Amino acid sequence: SQTIHQWPATLVQPVGSPLSLECTVEGTSNPNLYWYRQAAGRGLQLLFYSVGIGQISSEVPQNLSASRPQDRQFILSSKKLLLSDSGFYLCAWSISRTEAFFGQGTRLTVV
Amino acid sequence: GEDVEQSLFLSVREGDSSVINCTYTDSSSTYLYWYKQEPGAGLQLLTYIFSNMDMKQDQRLTVLLNKKDKHLSLRIADTQTGDSAIYFCAESAGNMLTFGGGTRLMVKP
């Protein structure tokens, strides 16, 4: 069966520090991978998506970047965090249009 | 571009029916979804409907789709306190899922 792992679950980082959130998928090949952000009290914002290794599309200009070094690994990064980067980050994968599967999320607090 | 909208909040009493509404703009949507997010957790797919269907029923859940008006609704019968969560409507366009802002459902005992 397919599973998705996302870590860490919670993270508190100072302003200006770097960020690396990792997401891995098991049990499937060549998935579409996504990073979403959910700010407090707001809906989901698509940040990045990837249809293959090294292929990253960005939906919004921001302080963040994403990479896909392996087929089932998706990494969200920042060189210098801003206060506005605080939020709940969700990784997801899909194969077809029928549904997407989400990780448990990372709650990032930038202080 | 695509846009999916939902009301922010709904409060119901335990045992009543809940109806969560959603409107979307992309007429090429092939699937429409309802996801549930419990506090501090990721999203779980509740149900989905193909765009050539008008209705889909799954136990306590009923999804209604009005493609002409681009309106989707989720009805939860006999709402329980465990149904309290944020419910997201989403549509698929190509490889992307576009989500609404979520409706927070509060169930009062």
Side-chain angles (χ1 to χ4, degrees), chain A residues 3-8 20-26 33-35 67-76 90-93 101-103:
Chain A
T3 56
I4 180 169
H5 302 281
Q6 186 181 339
W7 68 93
S20 180
L21 302 181
E22 189 162 344
C23 174
T24 59
V25 179
E26 295 177 359
L33 296 171
Y34 313 84
W35 278 110
S67 62
R68 185 171 178 174
Q70 300 180 45
D71 181 43
R72 290 170 287 179
Q73 185 184 27
F74 206 24
I75 298 171
L76 182 69
L90 288 158
C91 178
W93 71 272
F101 298 89
F102 284 81

Side-chain angles (χ1 to χ4, degrees), chain B residues 9-97:
Chain B
F9 188 75
L10 176 66
S11 178
V12 300
R13 293 206 174 275
E14 191 173 18
D16 289 349
S17 292
S18 308
V19 180
I20 302 171
N21 294 301
C22 170
T23 58
Y24 62 98
T25 58
D26 190 345
S27 57
S28 67
S29 297
T30 50
Y31 290 95
L32 295 123
Y33 312 84
W34 283 104
Y35 282 83
K36 178 182 180 182
Q37 183 184 32
E38 298 191 358
L43 278 69
Q44 289 186 308
L45 181 69
L46 276 181
T47 186
Y48 66 91
I49 188 168
F50 190 51
S51 59
N52 68 353
M53 298 170 63
D54 297 324
M55 186 181 85
K56 181 179 180 181
Q57 187 154 3
D58 182 3
Q59 298 182 340
R60 292 191 296 122
L61 305 178
T62 303
V63 179
L64 295 177
L65 175 60
N66 182 328
K67 197 173 181 182
K68 174 177 172 288
D69 294 337
K70 298 189 183 68
H71 183 266
L72 182 74
S73 69
L74 173 70
R75 179 176 180 271
I76 306 173
D78 187 26
T79 312
Q80 303 297 307
T81 53
D83 294 325
S84 294
I86 301 176
Y87 291 81
F88 289 90
C89 163
E91 61 166 359
S92 68
N95 282 324
M96 293 297 100
L97 282 179

Side-chain angles (χ1 to χ4, degrees), chain A:
Chain A
S1 63
Q2 302 92 349
T3 56
I4 180 169
H5 302 281
Q6 186 181 339
W7 68 93
T10 59
L11 191 60
V12 179
Q13 292 282 96
V15 169
S17 65
L19 173 73
S20 180
L21 302 181
E22 189 162 344
C23 174
T24 59
V25 179
E26 295 177 359
T28 187
S29 296
N30 198 30
N32 299 319
L33 296 171
Y34 313 84
W35 278 110
Y36 287 88
R37 176 169 58 198
Q38 184 180 25
R42 300 179 64 182
L44 292 173
Q45 179 186 35
L46 178 63
L47 301 177
F48 300 96
Y49 69 92
S50 171
V51 298
I53 295 174
Q55 300 178 61
I56 310 293
S57 296
S58 175
E59 289 294 300
V60 292
Q62 59 215 333
N63 184 42
L64 303 169
S65 62
S67 62
R68 185 171 178 174
Q70 300 180 45
D71 181 43
R72 290 170 287 179
Q73 185 184 27
F74 206 24
I75 298 171
L76 182 69
S77 304
S78 174
K79 292 182 179 178
K80 288 185 178 181
L81 284 168
L82 306 173
L83 286 174
S84 58
D85 292 324
S86 293
F88 191 55
Y89 290 82
L90 288 158
C91 178
W93 71 272
S94 70
I95 287 292
S96 65
R97 295 182 182 184
T98 54
E99 63 182 298
F101 298 89
F102 284 81
Q104 287 300 296
T106 297
R107 183 159 303 284
L108 172 66
T109 305
V110 182
V111 297

